[in-house]
mmCIF file of all heavy atoms in Angstrom:
data_model
loop_
_atom_site.group_PDB
_atom_site.id
_atom_site.type_symbol
_atom_site.label_atom_id
_atom_site.label_comp_id
_atom_site.label_asym_id
_atom_site.label_seq_id
_atom_site.Cartn_x
_atom_site.Cartn_y
_atom_site.Cartn_z
ATOM 1 N N ASN A 36 0.848 -1.190 0.000
ATOM 2 C CA ASN A 36 0.000 0.000 0.000
ATOM 3 C C ASN A 36 0.886 1.243 0.000
ATOM 4 O O ASN A 36 1.600 1.511 0.956
ATOM 5 C CB ASN A 36 -0.906 -0.005 1.238
ATOM 6 C CG ASN A 36 -1.905 1.132 1.208
ATOM 7 O OD1 ASN A 36 -1.777 2.081 0.441
ATOM 8 N ND2 ASN A 36 -2.921 1.034 2.050
ATOM 9 N N PHE A 37 0.810 2.024 -1.085
ATOM 10 C CA PHE A 37 1.693 3.178 -1.187
ATOM 11 C C PHE A 37 1.326 4.311 -0.247
ATOM 12 O O PHE A 37 2.092 5.259 -0.091
ATOM 13 C CB PHE A 37 1.784 3.657 -2.639
ATOM 14 C CG PHE A 37 3.073 3.243 -3.276
ATOM 15 C CD1 PHE A 37 3.270 1.935 -3.693
ATOM 16 C CD2 PHE A 37 4.114 4.140 -3.405
ATOM 17 C CE1 PHE A 37 4.468 1.540 -4.234
ATOM 18 C CE2 PHE A 37 5.319 3.748 -3.956
ATOM 19 C CZ PHE A 37 5.495 2.441 -4.374
ATOM 20 N N GLU A 38 0.170 4.226 0.369
ATOM 21 C CA GLU A 38 -0.146 5.222 1.394
ATOM 22 C C GLU A 38 0.747 5.023 2.610
ATOM 23 O O GLU A 38 0.916 5.927 3.428
ATOM 24 C CB GLU A 38 -1.622 5.106 1.779
ATOM 25 C CG GLU A 38 -2.566 5.552 0.663
ATOM 26 C CD GLU A 38 -4.020 5.427 1.063
ATOM 27 O OE1 GLU A 38 -4.280 5.054 2.226
ATOM 28 O OE2 GLU A 38 -4.886 5.695 0.220
ATOM 29 N N ASN A 39 1.324 3.826 2.724
ATOM 30 C CA ASN A 39 2.240 3.524 3.838
ATOM 31 C C ASN A 39 3.694 3.559 3.379
ATOM 32 O O ASN A 39 4.550 2.855 3.908
ATOM 33 C CB ASN A 39 1.912 2.140 4.432
ATOM 34 C CG ASN A 39 0.485 2.062 4.914
ATOM 35 O OD1 ASN A 39 -0.054 3.037 5.432
ATOM 36 N ND2 ASN A 39 -0.137 0.916 4.743
ATOM 37 N N LEU A 40 3.956 4.404 2.387
ATOM 38 C CA LEU A 40 5.290 4.454 1.787
ATOM 39 C C LEU A 40 6.378 4.784 2.796
ATOM 40 O O LEU A 40 7.473 4.221 2.767
ATOM 41 C CB LEU A 40 5.291 5.493 0.654
ATOM 42 C CG LEU A 40 6.613 5.694 -0.097
ATOM 43 C CD1 LEU A 40 7.004 4.410 -0.807
ATOM 44 C CD2 LEU A 40 6.497 6.827 -1.093
ATOM 45 N N LEU A 41 6.087 5.713 3.701
ATOM 46 C CA LEU A 41 7.108 6.134 4.660
ATOM 47 C C LEU A 41 7.526 4.998 5.593
ATOM 48 O O LEU A 41 8.637 5.007 6.125
ATOM 49 C CB LEU A 41 6.620 7.331 5.471
ATOM 50 C CG LEU A 41 6.537 8.657 4.694
ATOM 51 C CD1 LEU A 41 5.964 9.755 5.578
ATOM 52 C CD2 LEU A 41 7.894 9.073 4.167
ATOM 53 N N GLU A 42 6.652 4.032 5.769
ATOM 54 C CA GLU A 42 7.033 2.877 6.581
ATOM 55 C C GLU A 42 8.112 2.061 5.889
ATOM 56 O O GLU A 42 8.990 1.485 6.526
ATOM 57 C CB GLU A 42 5.801 1.988 6.849
ATOM 58 C CG GLU A 42 4.753 2.644 7.740
ATOM 59 C CD GLU A 42 3.541 1.756 7.919
ATOM 60 O OE1 GLU A 42 3.654 0.542 7.616
ATOM 61 O OE2 GLU A 42 2.492 2.254 8.353
ATOM 62 N N GLN A 43 8.045 2.012 4.569
ATOM 63 C CA GLN A 43 9.046 1.288 3.796
ATOM 64 C C GLN A 43 10.308 2.123 3.584
ATOM 65 O O GLN A 43 11.408 1.595 3.513
ATOM 66 C CB GLN A 43 8.472 0.901 2.423
ATOM 67 C CG GLN A 43 7.319 -0.089 2.474
ATOM 68 C CD GLN A 43 7.749 -1.459 2.947
ATOM 69 O OE1 GLN A 43 8.871 -1.903 2.677
ATOM 70 N NE2 GLN A 43 6.881 -2.137 3.683
ATOM 71 N N LEU A 44 10.100 3.433 3.476
ATOM 72 C CA LEU A 44 11.221 4.336 3.182
ATOM 73 C C LEU A 44 11.197 5.540 4.126
ATOM 74 O O LEU A 44 10.836 6.649 3.721
ATOM 75 C CB LEU A 44 11.135 4.828 1.734
ATOM 76 C CG LEU A 44 11.753 3.949 0.663
ATOM 77 C CD1 LEU A 44 11.506 4.546 -0.704
ATOM 78 C CD2 LEU A 44 13.250 3.783 0.871
ATOM 79 N N PRO A 45 11.589 5.379 5.366
ATOM 80 C CA PRO A 45 11.595 6.513 6.301
ATOM 81 C C PRO A 45 12.550 7.615 5.861
ATOM 82 O O PRO A 45 12.413 8.762 6.290
ATOM 83 C CB PRO A 45 12.045 5.876 7.622
ATOM 84 C CG PRO A 45 12.705 4.592 7.240
ATOM 85 C CD PRO A 45 12.037 4.125 6.006
ATOM 86 N N GLU A 46 13.491 7.284 4.964
ATOM 87 C CA GLU A 46 14.429 8.290 4.450
ATOM 88 C C GLU A 46 13.714 9.438 3.734
ATOM 89 O O GLU A 46 14.227 10.551 3.653
ATOM 90 C CB GLU A 46 15.427 7.646 3.469
ATOM 91 C CG GLU A 46 16.289 6.558 4.073
ATOM 92 C CD GLU A 46 15.717 5.159 3.804
ATOM 93 O OE1 GLU A 46 14.477 5.020 3.865
ATOM 94 O OE2 GLU A 46 16.508 4.239 3.561
ATOM 95 N N LEU A 47 12.529 9.156 3.205
ATOM 96 C CA LEU A 47 11.799 10.195 2.477
ATOM 97 C C LEU A 47 11.431 11.363 3.377
ATOM 98 O O LEU A 47 11.219 12.481 2.901
ATOM 99 C CB LEU A 47 10.533 9.608 1.835
ATOM 100 C CG LEU A 47 10.745 8.564 0.735
ATOM 101 C CD1 LEU A 47 9.417 8.120 0.168
ATOM 102 C CD2 LEU A 47 11.644 9.099 -0.376
ATOM 103 N N ASP A 48 11.351 11.120 4.684
ATOM 104 C CA ASP A 48 11.062 12.184 5.647
ATOM 105 C C ASP A 48 12.168 13.239 5.671
ATOM 106 O O ASP A 48 11.949 14.369 6.117
ATOM 107 C CB ASP A 48 10.908 11.584 7.053
ATOM 108 C CG ASP A 48 9.447 11.557 7.480
ATOM 109 O OD1 ASP A 48 8.634 12.222 6.817
ATOM 110 O OD2 ASP A 48 9.133 10.858 8.459
ATOM 111 N N LEU A 49 13.363 12.864 5.216
ATOM 112 C CA LEU A 49 14.513 13.765 5.244
ATOM 113 C C LEU A 49 14.560 14.684 4.028
ATOM 114 O O LEU A 49 15.338 15.642 4.005
ATOM 115 C CB LEU A 49 15.814 12.949 5.329
ATOM 116 C CG LEU A 49 15.937 11.984 6.520
ATOM 117 C CD1 LEU A 49 17.215 11.149 6.409
ATOM 118 C CD2 LEU A 49 15.912 12.753 7.837
ATOM 119 N N LEU A 50 13.772 14.383 3.011
ATOM 120 C CA LEU A 50 13.784 15.202 1.798
ATOM 121 C C LEU A 50 13.104 16.539 2.047
ATOM 122 O O LEU A 50 12.131 16.633 2.807
ATOM 123 C CB LEU A 50 13.089 14.474 0.651
ATOM 124 C CG LEU A 50 13.778 13.199 0.147
ATOM 125 C CD1 LEU A 50 12.911 12.513 -0.909
ATOM 126 C CD2 LEU A 50 15.150 13.514 -0.424
ATOM 127 N N ASP A 51 13.612 17.560 1.395
ATOM 128 C CA ASP A 51 13.101 18.915 1.601
ATOM 129 C C ASP A 51 11.909 19.192 0.680
ATOM 130 O O ASP A 51 11.935 20.115 -0.145
ATOM 131 C CB ASP A 51 14.227 19.917 1.348
ATOM 132 C CG ASP A 51 13.873 21.300 1.875
ATOM 133 O OD1 ASP A 51 13.045 21.376 2.811
ATOM 134 O OD2 ASP A 51 14.400 22.290 1.335
ATOM 135 N N CYS A 52 10.891 18.357 0.781
ATOM 136 C CA CYS A 52 9.675 18.548 -0.009
ATOM 137 C C CYS A 52 8.538 17.787 0.655
ATOM 138 O O CYS A 52 8.760 16.948 1.528
ATOM 139 C CB CYS A 52 9.876 18.062 -1.452
ATOM 140 S SG CYS A 52 10.314 16.321 -1.587
ATOM 141 N N ARG A 53 7.341 18.107 0.250
ATOM 142 C CA ARG A 53 6.166 17.385 0.738
ATOM 143 C C ARG A 53 5.801 16.329 -0.297
ATOM 144 O O ARG A 53 5.726 16.628 -1.492
ATOM 145 C CB ARG A 53 4.995 18.338 0.947
ATOM 146 C CG ARG A 53 5.230 19.371 2.044
ATOM 147 C CD ARG A 53 3.975 20.229 2.259
ATOM 148 N NE ARG A 53 4.177 21.212 3.302
ATOM 149 C CZ ARG A 53 4.668 22.446 3.094
ATOM 150 N NH1 ARG A 53 5.006 22.801 1.870
ATOM 151 N NH2 ARG A 53 4.821 23.284 4.101
ATOM 152 N N ILE A 54 5.549 15.123 0.161
ATOM 153 C CA ILE A 54 5.254 14.025 -0.757
ATOM 154 C C ILE A 54 3.878 13.457 -0.464
ATOM 155 O O ILE A 54 3.552 13.143 0.679
ATOM 156 C CB ILE A 54 6.302 12.895 -0.624
ATOM 157 C CG1 ILE A 54 7.717 13.437 -0.857
ATOM 158 C CG2 ILE A 54 5.996 11.755 -1.598
ATOM 159 C CD1 ILE A 54 8.810 12.488 -0.451
ATOM 160 N N GLU A 55 3.072 13.360 -1.493
ATOM 161 C CA GLU A 55 1.799 12.669 -1.394
ATOM 162 C C GLU A 55 1.758 11.580 -2.455
ATOM 163 O O GLU A 55 2.492 11.657 -3.459
ATOM 164 C CB GLU A 55 0.631 13.646 -1.547
ATOM 165 C CG GLU A 55 0.547 14.635 -0.389
ATOM 166 C CD GLU A 55 -0.681 15.528 -0.469
ATOM 167 O OE1 GLU A 55 -1.611 15.189 -1.236
ATOM 168 O OE2 GLU A 55 -0.696 16.568 0.219
ATOM 169 N N THR A 56 0.942 10.568 -2.220
ATOM 170 C CA THR A 56 0.928 9.425 -3.134
ATOM 171 C C THR A 56 -0.468 9.159 -3.663
ATOM 172 O O THR A 56 -1.475 9.478 -3.026
ATOM 173 C CB THR A 56 1.433 8.149 -2.429
ATOM 174 O OG1 THR A 56 0.530 7.830 -1.351
ATOM 175 C CG2 THR A 56 2.827 8.336 -1.874
ATOM 176 N N ILE A 57 -0.487 8.567 -4.852
ATOM 177 C CA ILE A 57 -1.731 8.096 -5.450
ATOM 178 C C ILE A 57 -1.378 6.837 -6.230
ATOM 179 O O ILE A 57 -0.297 6.744 -6.814
ATOM 180 C CB ILE A 57 -2.368 9.182 -6.350
ATOM 181 C CG1 ILE A 57 -3.777 8.784 -6.787
ATOM 182 C CG2 ILE A 57 -1.501 9.488 -7.564
ATOM 183 C CD1 ILE A 57 -4.557 9.919 -7.437
ATOM 184 N N SER A 58 -2.266 5.866 -6.220
ATOM 185 C CA SER A 58 -1.987 4.595 -6.896
ATOM 186 C C SER A 58 -3.087 4.239 -7.878
ATOM 187 O O SER A 58 -4.250 4.613 -7.687
ATOM 188 C CB SER A 58 -1.876 3.457 -5.874
ATOM 189 O OG SER A 58 -0.825 3.662 -4.979
ATOM 190 N N PHE A 59 -2.699 3.515 -8.919
ATOM 191 C CA PHE A 59 -3.704 2.886 -9.761
ATOM 192 C C PHE A 59 -4.529 1.955 -8.869
ATOM 193 O O PHE A 59 -3.959 1.294 -8.001
ATOM 194 C CB PHE A 59 -3.030 2.060 -10.856
ATOM 195 C CG PHE A 59 -2.723 2.820 -12.122
ATOM 196 C CD1 PHE A 59 -2.685 4.200 -12.153
ATOM 197 C CD2 PHE A 59 -2.479 2.139 -13.306
ATOM 198 C CE1 PHE A 59 -2.399 4.891 -13.312
ATOM 199 C CE2 PHE A 59 -2.194 2.807 -14.480
ATOM 200 C CZ PHE A 59 -2.159 4.196 -14.491
ATOM 201 N N PRO A 60 -5.848 1.889 -9.061
ATOM 202 C CA PRO A 60 -6.665 0.991 -8.245
ATOM 203 C C PRO A 60 -6.155 -0.452 -8.277
ATOM 204 O O PRO A 60 -6.125 -1.140 -7.264
ATOM 205 C CB PRO A 60 -8.057 1.104 -8.880
ATOM 206 C CG PRO A 60 -8.050 2.426 -9.568
ATOM 207 C CD PRO A 60 -6.651 2.647 -10.031
ATOM 208 N N ILE A 61 -5.761 -0.878 -9.478
ATOM 209 C CA ILE A 61 -5.151 -2.197 -9.634
ATOM 210 C C ILE A 61 -3.798 -1.988 -10.309
ATOM 211 O O ILE A 61 -3.742 -1.589 -11.478
ATOM 212 C CB ILE A 61 -6.026 -3.124 -10.495
ATOM 213 C CG1 ILE A 61 -7.405 -3.301 -9.862
ATOM 214 C CG2 ILE A 61 -5.340 -4.490 -10.673
ATOM 215 C CD1 ILE A 61 -8.382 -4.081 -10.713
ATOM 216 N N PRO A 62 -2.687 -2.220 -9.593
ATOM 217 C CA PRO A 62 -1.364 -2.035 -10.203
ATOM 218 C C PRO A 62 -1.199 -2.908 -11.446
ATOM 219 O O PRO A 62 -1.699 -4.031 -11.505
ATOM 220 C CB PRO A 62 -0.412 -2.468 -9.088
ATOM 221 C CG PRO A 62 -1.191 -2.292 -7.822
ATOM 222 C CD PRO A 62 -2.601 -2.613 -8.184
ATOM 223 N N ILE A 63 -0.501 -2.362 -12.435
ATOM 224 C CA ILE A 63 -0.348 -3.037 -13.726
ATOM 225 C C ILE A 63 1.107 -3.423 -13.952
ATOM 226 O O ILE A 63 2.015 -2.603 -13.789
ATOM 227 C CB ILE A 63 -0.807 -2.111 -14.876
ATOM 228 C CG1 ILE A 63 -2.272 -1.712 -14.699
ATOM 229 C CG2 ILE A 63 -0.621 -2.782 -16.227
ATOM 230 C CD1 ILE A 63 -2.735 -0.677 -15.711
ATOM 231 N N ASP A 64 1.325 -4.663 -14.344
ATOM 232 C CA ASP A 64 2.652 -5.056 -14.815
ATOM 233 C C ASP A 64 2.922 -4.281 -16.097
ATOM 234 O O ASP A 64 2.053 -4.198 -16.973
ATOM 235 C CB ASP A 64 2.684 -6.560 -15.087
ATOM 236 C CG ASP A 64 4.089 -7.053 -15.412
ATOM 237 O OD1 ASP A 64 4.578 -6.716 -16.514
ATOM 238 O OD2 ASP A 64 4.688 -7.758 -14.600
ATOM 239 N N SER A 65 4.108 -3.727 -16.241
ATOM 240 C CA SER A 65 4.340 -2.832 -17.378
ATOM 241 C C SER A 65 4.239 -3.547 -18.723
ATOM 242 O O SER A 65 3.983 -2.918 -19.747
ATOM 243 C CB SER A 65 5.692 -2.127 -17.253
ATOM 244 O OG SER A 65 6.751 -2.972 -17.606
ATOM 245 N N SER A 66 4.420 -4.866 -18.742
ATOM 246 C CA SER A 66 4.277 -5.592 -20.004
ATOM 247 C C SER A 66 2.823 -5.613 -20.463
ATOM 248 O O SER A 66 2.531 -5.919 -21.625
ATOM 249 C CB SER A 66 4.810 -7.023 -19.862
ATOM 250 O OG SER A 66 4.098 -7.722 -18.863
ATOM 251 N N ALA A 67 1.895 -5.279 -19.567
ATOM 252 C CA ALA A 67 0.472 -5.217 -19.915
ATOM 253 C C ALA A 67 0.009 -3.787 -20.168
ATOM 254 O O ALA A 67 -1.180 -3.550 -20.414
ATOM 255 C CB ALA A 67 -0.369 -5.845 -18.801
ATOM 256 N N MET A 68 0.921 -2.808 -20.087
ATOM 257 C CA MET A 68 0.568 -1.401 -20.309
ATOM 258 C C MET A 68 0.084 -1.176 -21.741
ATOM 259 O O MET A 68 0.626 -1.750 -22.687
ATOM 260 C CB MET A 68 1.777 -0.503 -20.065
ATOM 261 C CG MET A 68 1.997 -0.149 -18.622
ATOM 262 S SD MET A 68 1.029 1.285 -18.153
ATOM 263 C CE MET A 68 1.417 1.354 -16.408
ATOM 264 N N THR A 69 -0.918 -0.325 -21.887
ATOM 265 C CA THR A 69 -1.421 0.074 -23.202
ATOM 266 C C THR A 69 -1.514 1.602 -23.242
ATOM 267 O O THR A 69 -1.419 2.266 -22.198
ATOM 268 C CB THR A 69 -2.824 -0.505 -23.459
ATOM 269 O OG1 THR A 69 -3.768 0.170 -22.596
ATOM 270 C CG2 THR A 69 -2.866 -2.007 -23.191
ATOM 271 N N PRO A 70 -1.712 2.180 -24.421
ATOM 272 C CA PRO A 70 -1.911 3.632 -24.486
ATOM 273 C C PRO A 70 -3.053 4.132 -23.607
ATOM 274 O O PRO A 70 -3.029 5.276 -23.159
ATOM 275 C CB PRO A 70 -2.192 3.873 -25.976
ATOM 276 C CG PRO A 70 -1.396 2.803 -26.662
ATOM 277 C CD PRO A 70 -1.547 1.595 -25.772
ATOM 278 N N LYS A 71 -4.041 3.290 -23.335
ATOM 279 C CA LYS A 71 -5.131 3.707 -22.423
ATOM 280 C C LYS A 71 -4.579 3.971 -21.022
ATOM 281 O O LYS A 71 -5.056 4.853 -20.302
ATOM 282 C CB LYS A 71 -6.217 2.639 -22.386
ATOM 283 C CG LYS A 71 -7.003 2.506 -23.675
ATOM 284 C CD LYS A 71 -8.074 1.442 -23.573
ATOM 285 C CE LYS A 71 -8.884 1.354 -24.871
ATOM 286 N NZ LYS A 71 -8.055 0.949 -26.035
ATOM 287 N N ASP A 72 -3.559 3.213 -20.637
ATOM 288 C CA ASP A 72 -2.936 3.435 -19.332
ATOM 289 C C ASP A 72 -2.083 4.705 -19.339
ATOM 290 O O ASP A 72 -1.972 5.377 -18.320
ATOM 291 C CB ASP A 72 -2.100 2.212 -18.931
ATOM 292 C CG ASP A 72 -2.944 0.951 -18.842
ATOM 293 O OD1 ASP A 72 -3.956 0.983 -18.125
ATOM 294 O OD2 ASP A 72 -2.609 -0.039 -19.511
#
């Protein structure tokens, strides 16, 4: 869950910017990507 990104990467707290996340409802393997994506 990318909303819990900071749990995986606490280092991001040290960056001098504000970070927010958004995810595709269903993550896609890039080999299945199409122009619609």
